């Protein structure tokens, strides 16, 4: 008998603030839909938000994609980095401006922490630019170790975050 193939529900955060960010996100969503052994289930609206972190960078466009995948977290991470590279990502300053950032937010209910990958993403529960689009695609989500998304949203400021395009 064949072993059952495990499909995990996974969420990816998208961000861009260089080189036509709206287009960067749209291209990235198309690339996510083409990943092997993976299905794009839904995508959030596209949001504009002021940069968090180092000042003096352009506003970001952000969105979240919901996927179902048979890829392991490590393989999915590698695939996401491949999409970032294909869209011209230069890896320089840690929190600097970027053409495309794809953050693996959650992979099922997996908890892990390593230099390469931590799950859930260690900053996601504090970031309105992640939580607001994430709630659109997963309104009842519980973030392992942090609780319900609705509760987390009560604690973050959404100043400056606005929808610029529907899914
Ligand atoms: N700020 C916003 N608004 N959106 C991002 O995607 C984003 N990504 C980052 C930092 C620099 C932390 N700030 C951001 O990596």
């Amino acid at each position: 008998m064949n072993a059952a193939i495990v499909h995990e529900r996974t969420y990816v955060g998208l961000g861009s603030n260089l080189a036509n960010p709206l287009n960067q996100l749209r291209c990235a969503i198309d690339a996510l839909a083409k990943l092997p052994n993976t299905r794009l289930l839904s995508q959030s609206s596209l949001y504009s938000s002021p940069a968090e972190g180092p000042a003096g960078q352009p506003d970001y466009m952000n969105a979240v994609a919901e996927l179902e995948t048979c890829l392991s977290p490590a393989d999915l991470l590698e695939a996401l980095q491949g999409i970032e590279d294909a869209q011209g990502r230069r890896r320089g300053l840690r929190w600097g401006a970027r053409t495309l950032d794809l953050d693996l937010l959650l992979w099922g209910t997996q908890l892990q922490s390593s230099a390469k990958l931590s799950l859930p993403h260690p900053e996601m529960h504090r970031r309105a630019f992640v939580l607001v689009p994430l709630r659109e695609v997963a309104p009842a989500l519980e973030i392992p170790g942090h609780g319900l998304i609705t509760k987390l949203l009560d604690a973050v400021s959404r100043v400056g975050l606005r929808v610029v395009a529907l899914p």
Side-chain angles (χ1 to χ4, degrees):
M1 196 174 78
N2 289 332
I5 296 174
V6 180
H7 297 82
E8 285 293 346
R9 187 70 56 103
T10 181
Y11 297 91
V12 174
L14 301 90
S16 168
N17 69 344
L18 286 180
N20 194 345
L22 208 51
N23 194 41
Q24 295 287 348
L25 294 199
R26 290 197 164 118
C27 287
I29 289 169
D30 286 349
L32 290 171
K34 290 181 187 141
L35 284 178
N37 302 317
T38 299
R39 202 154 60 93
L40 176 67
L41 298 179
S42 63
Q43 65 185 84
S44 71
S45 303
L46 307 182
Y47 290 80
S48 156
S49 64
E52 276 189 25
Q57 20 176 337
D59 285 357
Y60 277 80
M61 289 289 169
N62 288 108
V64 165
E66 179 182 42
L67 308 169
E68 188 176 62
T69 190
C70 302
L71 299 177
S72 67
D75 287 346
L76 181 56
L77 180 67
E78 198 178 306
L80 297 182
Q81 289 169 349
I83 297 172
E84 290 175 342
D85 292 343
Q87 289 189 215
R89 170 82 177 259
R90 301 274 175 273
R91 295 175 196 281
L93 196 61
R94 184 163 181 229
W95 280 347
R98 67 276 313 273
T99 50
L100 180 64
D101 192 19
L102 295 178
D103 286 334
L104 184 47
L105 302 173
L106 296 167
W107 187 95
T109 54
Q110 177 98 342
L111 289 165
Q112 76 176 64
S113 181
S114 74
K116 268 193 111 177
L117 177 62
S118 293
L119 290 166
H121 185 287
E123 299 295 332
M124 65 174 289
H125 61 287
R126 286 190 267 269
R127 292 178 165 172
F129 66 82
V130 172
L131 295 175
V132 170
L134 182 57
R135 186 184 47 181
E136 251 191 75
V137 297
L141 188 69
E142 180 163 355
I143 299 173
H146 296 290
L148 289 175
I149 190 162
T150 42
K151 279 272 164 233
L152 293 168
L153 270 162
D154 289 342
V156 297
S157 162
R158 294 170 217 190
V159 173
L161 186 71
R162 61 190 178 85
V163 172
V164 293
L166 295 174

